């Protein structure tokens, strides 16, 4: 099972495509043809519900894993995710203070994000990126 989950779920690239298409649909409807939309104008509740209950949540069969999915979705799909230095993943140090491990880069186009992914996210397989202790198996 993936770290932090009780078992493996058969999520696929088709699920990912459905999720991206659903998000694109909501963004397109909200933008009404404009090139930019303020993040607070997007229907975050609808996007979160689609991801949690329909696209991914339909395969989850226990409350623990549903809570994991809900926490990920609510954290990642919110207006805050557009903030510079938004923490995609983080944890707490010895003092109990929040420490971001992966932050949104200051990029504004595909090439900038692609470079960030290739150069900065080489090895993010540590359980700490999921908010779990590093010695988690």
């Amino acid at each position: 099972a993936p770290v932090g989950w009780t078992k493996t779920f058969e999520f696929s690239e088709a699920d990912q495509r459905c999720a991206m298409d659903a998000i694109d649909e909501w963004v397109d409807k909200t933008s009404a043809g404009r090139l930019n939309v303020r993040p607070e104008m997007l229907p975050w509740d609808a996007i979160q519900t689609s991801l949690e209950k329909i696209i991914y949540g339909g395969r989850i069969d226990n409350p623990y894993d549903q809570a994991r999915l809900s926490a990920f979705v609510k954290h990642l799909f919110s207006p805050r995710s557009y903030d510079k230095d938004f923490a995609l993943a983080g944890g707490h140090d010895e003092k109990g203070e929040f420490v971001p491990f992966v932050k949104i880069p200051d990029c504004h186009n595909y090439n900038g994000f692609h470079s960030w992914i290739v150069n900065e996210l080489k090895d993010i397989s540590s359980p700490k990126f999921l908010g779990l202790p590093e010695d988690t198996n």
Side-chain angles (χ1 to χ4, degrees):
V3 175
W5 298 78
T6 63
K7 64 182 188 177
T8 300
F9 294 97
E10 297 297 323
F11 299 132
S12 67
E13 287 184 30
D15 296 317
Q16 181 186 18
R17 174 56 53 202
C18 287
M20 291 188 304
D21 287 347
I23 293 167
D24 283 346
E25 179 90 14
W26 284 111
V27 171
D28 289 346
K29 282 185 179 187
T30 303
S31 70
R34 295 184 304 264
L35 293 178
N36 295 304
V37 177
R38 291 190 340 259
E40 60 272 7
M41 300 302 296
L42 293 172
W44 294 108
D45 287 340
I47 292 169
Q48 292 170 352
T49 299
S50 295
L51 295 171
E52 284 180 51
K53 306 289 185 210
I54 300 167
I55 297 168
Y56 292 108
R59 295 204 179 134
I60 296 178
D61 60 2
N62 67 75
Y64 180 85
D65 289 331
Q66 187 64 49
R68 299 291 67 74
L69 175 64
S70 181
F72 284 129
V73 167
K74 288 191 183 324
H75 175 74
L76 295 173
F77 296 91
S78 72
R80 295 182 325 274
S81 65
Y82 280 77
D83 293 345
K84 182 181 176 199
D85 292 332
F86 172 74
L88 290 170
H92 294 84
D93 64 14
E94 307 82 39
K95 298 176 187 174
E97 295 182 27
F98 182 76
V99 177
F101 299 129
V102 180
K103 296 189 292 186
I104 289 287
D106 189 15
C107 300
H108 302 285
N109 59 37
Y110 173 84
N111 289 335
F113 280 102
H114 184 265
S115 176
W116 173 70
I117 291 167
V118 170
N119 297 317
E120 302 296 325
L121 297 181
K122 292 178 183 174
D123 182 26
I124 60 167
S125 60
S126 170
K128 77 177 188 175
F129 290 106
L130 297 173
L132 300 169
E134 289 205 55
D135 60 353
T136 302
N137 291 327

